[in-house]
Amino acid sequence: MNEDERMLAGKLSNPRDPELRSRQRLAHRLAKRYNDTFDDEAEKRAELLKKLLPNSSERIYLQGPIFVDYGTHIKIGDHFYGNTNITFLDTGMITIGENVLFGPNISLVTPMHPLRYQDRNFAAKNDLPGKEYSKPITIEDNCWLASNVTVIGGVTIGNGSVIGAGSVVTRDIPANSLAVGNPCRVLRQITDQDDIRLKKDLF
């Protein structure tokens, strides 16, 4: 296994591997170039996203600024909307379905580090394959993550779920759930009683 394969397999890997560092620098440059574009430069933004997120749909919108670690470990489906200040730390696979909405200040964080400082600290001799491993994140179709949500590696958010503002998602969230908090917990299921047409005060 090379270091990229180890990373995606959830094994200890070396983030200082020259090939990984080269790909990471490219992603950082592309993200910076994207962040330097204006909203109305649609063609330029589309070209940059093709290079930065080659495994994602072309029918996505990212307001920017964005930060992306690799880009090649991200799959985003059609009709994705990402508000300002999105962070993708994609040492592990990040999979986002169709019709997903992100509020501002969302972080998807797949890297994991050892809990013992003896295993985590830098050493003169690198006696481990690396000091980092990863867990994937999956966000299924039709989800909405409100402002300031952090999703930790190893989590799946089920179809149609809503994650409330300020939440830290550390465990799986079932489909059609309204979930909030730190750590994020399910409050209740989303039902037909939540139909917007029943909110007469909004019309």
Side-chain angles (χ1 to χ4, degrees):
M1 275 189 184
N2 62 32
E3 292 302 314
D4 187 62
E5 291 167 337
R6 291 186 64 84
M7 235 172 22
L8 291 176
K11 306 289 188 184
L12 282 172
S13 58
N14 182 5
R16 296 172 297 283
D17 174 73
E19 172 63 22
L20 290 181
R21 290 296 296 274
S22 175
R23 288 172 50 200
Q24 194 176 53
R25 288 190 189 105
L26 174 61
H28 293 177
R29 287 191 183 99
L30 289 169
K32 175 64 166 62
R33 287 172 61 193
Y34 186 88
N35 294 337
D36 288 342
T37 63
F38 295 103
D39 292 3
D40 58 358
E41 296 182 290
E43 289 186 15
K44 185 184 289 187
R45 284 185 157 203
E47 285 302 313
L48 288 167
L49 285 183
K50 280 182 188 177
K51 296 174 184 175
L52 181 59
L53 305 174
N55 301 313
S56 295
S57 169
E58 294 181 12
R59 291 183 287 275
I60 64 175
Y61 181 81
L62 288 158
Q63 176 65 44
I66 58 174
F67 181 85
V68 178
D69 230 1
Y70 292 96
T72 51
H73 303 151
I74 301 170
K75 291 182 180 178
I76 304 176
D78 288 346
H79 309 303
F80 170 83
Y81 176 84
N83 210 312
T84 187
N85 200 33
I86 306 297
T87 298
F88 297 101
L89 297 189
D90 61 314
T91 56
M93 197 68 207
I94 294 175
T95 305
I96 299 172
E98 297 184 354
N99 299 301
V100 172
L101 303 179
F102 279 9
N105 305 312
I106 304 295
S107 295
L108 305 187
V109 184
T110 67
M112 313 295 286
H113 299 280
L115 294 181
R116 295 174 70 247
Y117 73 83
Q118 295 93 334
D119 300 326
R120 190 174 60 244
N121 288 356
F122 287 97
K125 292 182 179 179
N126 189 8
D127 56 349
L128 294 173
K131 301 293 180 74
E132 184 176 277
Y133 59 102
S134 301
K135 293 184 179 181
I137 290 172
T138 300
I139 299 172
E140 296 180 350
D141 297 345
N142 307 307
C143 290
W144 170 31
L145 277 59
S147 305
N148 299 294
V149 169
T150 298
V151 183
I152 303 301
V155 163
T156 294
I157 298 175
N159 176 68
S161 288
V162 175
I163 309 299
S167 296
V168 179
V169 189
T170 61
R171 66 187 76 181
D172 290 352
I173 303 297
N176 300 307
S177 296
L178 175 60
V180 301
N182 181 7
C184 190
R185 292 184 171 87
V186 175
L187 288 185
R188 63 176 177 85
Q189 288 290 287
I190 297 169
T191 71
D192 289 343
Q193 294 303 308
D194 294 300
D195 190 324
I196 196 71
R197 291 168 295 186
L198 300 178
K199 313 290 184 183
K200 301 300 184 185
D201 59 320
L202 296 179
F203 293 92

